[in-house]
């Protein structure tokens, strides 16, 4: 594959989606062939852009008949090489599946096509006093289909869980072209296997997700954000645990370090938030029907927060300014060259020490590399980013992921396995689990055409 489509296959795709939606020119394909970081770059004979589930069915059937492997792709914001054609696959872009139903205000749900962005879901929900609990910095590019396929986490997992917890139904096309459609959104529906839950996080290996029924949550009337400095990662982990215990409406608890703060300020042109330069920063957000500012202030007392390193914001503009110090990390790190992004979870009791140790683990393998640490401390999830490595040099990846597994952690907290971490899946999954994965893959994608290089490989 990768050598181009035969004229007859190209004509068959054009008959399904229209010639304008079969992209074969190099310029038109290029944005679909590389991931956002620039670490994963492949090539495809064609990008096909179906507009309806029926067109997806016909594309998948054609690929199965022709023995063509397919990479489903949404907003192409994935970070583990799971949505780009690294082995010459056809790219099936879901971005034109962008129908959004009216908001069901009685059920607090919406049905969204796979190509709808998270930002568009938020905009529609906002008009009804609701919101979608999955939010992340790439909100205006990341799509419902991609975030369902990867079980995306984001900023509010600490309160609402990841994408799987928001799913009330799914529509998807299996590898043989059959359609699973279960979008009724019933709160109680105990009629067998939870296929939405199974396909969520399957990374395009079992089906092409074409639509999802999403639960929405009330939009809080009040929110407060605090950015605070702390002396070390372990104190930060303990502080967040103490805040959670008294703030059930804690929406986010994000950690980053002085080096990341400096990089963000230099790269994006922000002023540091405090004259003091603490080693560790934690950003917390609390939101609810009543103003939580006083409760948050009380919670911060006596938990190791450095008194000259506290910024509190209640109005929307200032809250967004504080969030920028955290959200700009991804962009700022990428200016140093494509990073290796190791998205891991540690048991909370081991997280602080791991954050202290991981730069040494990296340096032992690659002394000239730099390690950047930030993440969702409330979830035990730290993003270990390493710059200064060749894209295909994965010695550091192995050392860090083995250290994570050795401490009882997960090698993928929220980004997925993709192609980047496939080699190390057995660190977290037993032979019996991997055999069950393979059996599911064979049952739902018998020809093995859906993302064959991802997850199981
Ligand atoms: C984040 O938490 O900002 C995202 O997972 C993206 C990233 O890890 O760079
Ligand atoms: Zn993240």
């Amino acid at each position: 594959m990768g050598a181009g489509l035969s004229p007859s296959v190209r004509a068959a795709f054009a008959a399904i989606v229209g010639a304008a939606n079969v992209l074969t020119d190099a310029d038109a394909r290029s944005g679909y062939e590389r991931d956002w970081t620039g670490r994963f770059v492949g090539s495809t004979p064609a990008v096909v852009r179906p507009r309806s589930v029926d067109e997806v069915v016909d594309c998948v059937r054609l690929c199965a008949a022709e023995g063509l492997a397919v990479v489903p792709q949404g907003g192409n914001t994935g970070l583990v090489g799971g949505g780009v054609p690294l082995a010459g696959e056809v790219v099936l872009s879901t971005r034109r599946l962008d129908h959004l139903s009216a908001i069901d205000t009685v059920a607090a749900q919406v049905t969204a096509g796979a190509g709808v962005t998270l930002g568009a879901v938020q905009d529609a929900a906002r008009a009804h006093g609701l919101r979608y609990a999955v939010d992340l910095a790439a909100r205006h590019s990341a799509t419902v289909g991609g975030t369902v396929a990867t079980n995306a986490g984001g900023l509010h997992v600490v309160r609402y869980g990841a994408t799987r917890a928001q799913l009330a139904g799914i529509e998807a096309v299996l590898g043989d072209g059959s359609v699973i459609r279960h979008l009724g959104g019933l709160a109680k529906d105990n009629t067998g296997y939870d296929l939405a839950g199974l396909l969520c996080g399957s990374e395009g290996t079992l089906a092409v997700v074409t639509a999802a029924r999403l639960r929405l949550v009330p939009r809080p009337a009040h929110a407060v954000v605090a950015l605070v400095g702390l002396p070390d990662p372990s104190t930060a982990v303990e502080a967040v645990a103490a805040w959670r215990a008294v703030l059930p409406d804690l929406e986010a608890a994000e950690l980053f370090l002085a080096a990341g703060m400096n990089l963000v300020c230099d790269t994006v042109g922000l002023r540091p938030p405090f004259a003091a330069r603490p080693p560790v920063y934690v950003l917390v957000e609390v939101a609810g029907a009543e103003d939580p500012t006083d409760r948050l202030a009380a919670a911060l007392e006596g938990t190791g927060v450095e008194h000259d390193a506290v910024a509190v914001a209640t109005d929307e503009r200032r809250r967004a300014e504080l969030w920028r110090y955290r959200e700009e990390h991804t962009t700022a790190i990428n200016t140093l060259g494509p990073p290796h992004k190791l998205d891991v979870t540690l048991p909370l009791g081991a997280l602080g020490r791991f954050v202290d140790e991981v730069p040494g683990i990296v340096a032992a393998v690659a002394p000239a590399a730099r390690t950047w640490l930030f993440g969702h401390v409330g979830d035990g999830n730290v993003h270990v980013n390493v710059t200064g490595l060749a894209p295909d040099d994965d010695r550091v990846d192995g050392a860090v992921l083995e250290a994570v597994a050795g401490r009882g952690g997960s090698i993928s907290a929220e980004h997925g396995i993709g192609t980047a971490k496939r080699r190390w899946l057995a660190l977290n999954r037993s032979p019996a689990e991997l055999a069950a994965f393979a059996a599911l893959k064979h049952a739902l994608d018998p020809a093995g055409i859906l993302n064959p290089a991802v997850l199981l490989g």
Side-chain angles (χ1 to χ4, degrees), residues 42 79 145 147 361 417:
L79 298 169
T147 52
I361 296 169
I417 296 296

Side-chain angles (χ1 to χ4, degrees), residues 93-452:
S93 169
T94 56
R95 282 188 233 172
R96 293 179 72 231
L97 302 170
D98 60 358
H99 179 73
L100 189 63
S101 77
I103 302 287
D104 179 344
T105 52
V106 176
Q109 292 179 357
V110 67
T111 301
V116 177
T117 64
L118 297 192
V121 176
Q122 297 295 12
D123 289 346
R126 182 178 293 113
H128 297 275
L130 297 166
R131 68 181 168 145
Y132 182 43
V134 177
D135 189 25
L136 33 86
R139 56 185 71 82
H140 297 299
S141 307
T143 59
V144 167
T147 52
V148 168
T150 55
N151 186 27
L155 305 170
H156 301 311
V157 174
V158 69
R159 182 167 186 189
Y160 296 107
T163 299
R164 191 176 285 120
Q166 326 307 326
L167 264 189
I170 201 162
E171 179 191 77
V173 178
L174 303 183
D176 65 357
S178 53
V179 178
I180 285 175
R181 185 178 289 114
H182 203 79
L183 292 168
L186 299 176
K188 301 180 92 170
D189 184 7
N190 242 344
T191 52
Y193 300 134
D194 176 10
L195 296 177
L198 171 65
L199 298 185
C200 185
S202 63
E203 301 191 42
T205 62
L206 301 180
V208 180
V209 175
T210 50
R213 183 79 175 168
L214 304 174
R215 296 192 180 94
L216 303 171
V217 296
R219 178 166 289 277
H222 299 273
V224 57
V225 171
L227 178 64
V228 302
L230 291 141
D232 57 73
S234 294
T235 305
V237 173
E238 283 163 23
V240 170
W243 302 336
R244 280 183 92 165
V246 294
L247 298 167
D249 40 8
L250 186 80
E251 296 248 314
E254 300 289 312
L255 174 141
F256 46 99
L257 306 183
M261 173 63 96
N262 295 342
L263 179 72
V264 165
C265 289
D266 291 349
T267 310
V268 185
L270 297 180
R271 284 233 313 266
F274 324 119
R277 295 298 182 104
V280 176
Y281 294 81
V282 173
L283 181 150
V284 285
E285 178 158 343
V286 187
E290 311 291 335
D291 183 355
T293 308
D294 291 345
R295 287 188 296 116
L296 175 59
L300 296 181
E301 289 292 321
T303 49
V305 169
E306 300 193 350
H307 71 275
D308 52 353
V310 179
V312 178
T314 50
D315 72 279
E316 192 168 357
R317 189 183 59 80
R318 182 73 185 127
R319 292 199 311 262
E321 284 172 5
L322 292 182
W323 265 109
R324 283 194 79 193
Y325 294 113
R326 161 63 179 88
E327 291 202 320
E328 295 286 357
H329 269 66
T330 303
T331 307
I333 291 166
N334 237 69
T335 64
L336 305 175
H340 286 230
K341 295 182 89 73
L342 305 168
D343 153 47
V344 300
T345 320
L346 276 295
L348 278 169
L351 181 63
R353 182 183 284 197
F354 177 77
V355 170
D356 285 330
E357 288 175 350
V358 76
I361 296 169
V362 172
V365 179
R370 287 204 67 180
T371 305
W372 309 90
L373 297 158
F374 63 97
H376 317 285
V377 59
D379 313 328
N381 176 190
V382 60
H383 296 309
V384 181
N385 282 226
V386 184
T387 55
L389 298 172
D392 58 354
D393 176 359
D394 56 13
R395 291 170 303 142
V396 163
D397 306 48
V400 172
L401 299 180
E402 280 164 20
V404 167
R407 289 159 173 75
S410 166
I411 66 167
S412 175
E414 58 174 8
H415 296 171
I417 296 296
T419 51
K421 297 185 190 166
R422 203 178 46 188
R423 267 182 63 191
W424 296 284
L425 185 55
L427 288 173
N428 279 148
R429 294 296 194 165
S430 68
E433 285 177 300
L434 293 173
F437 283 11
L440 286 166
K441 170 76 177 164
H442 185 66
L444 300 191
D445 177 24
I449 58 164
L450 296 179
N451 246 0

Side-chain angles (χ1 to χ4, degrees), residues 1-15:
M1 263 175 280
L5 296 180
S6 69
S8 64
V9 173
R10 186 174 166 162
F13 276 126

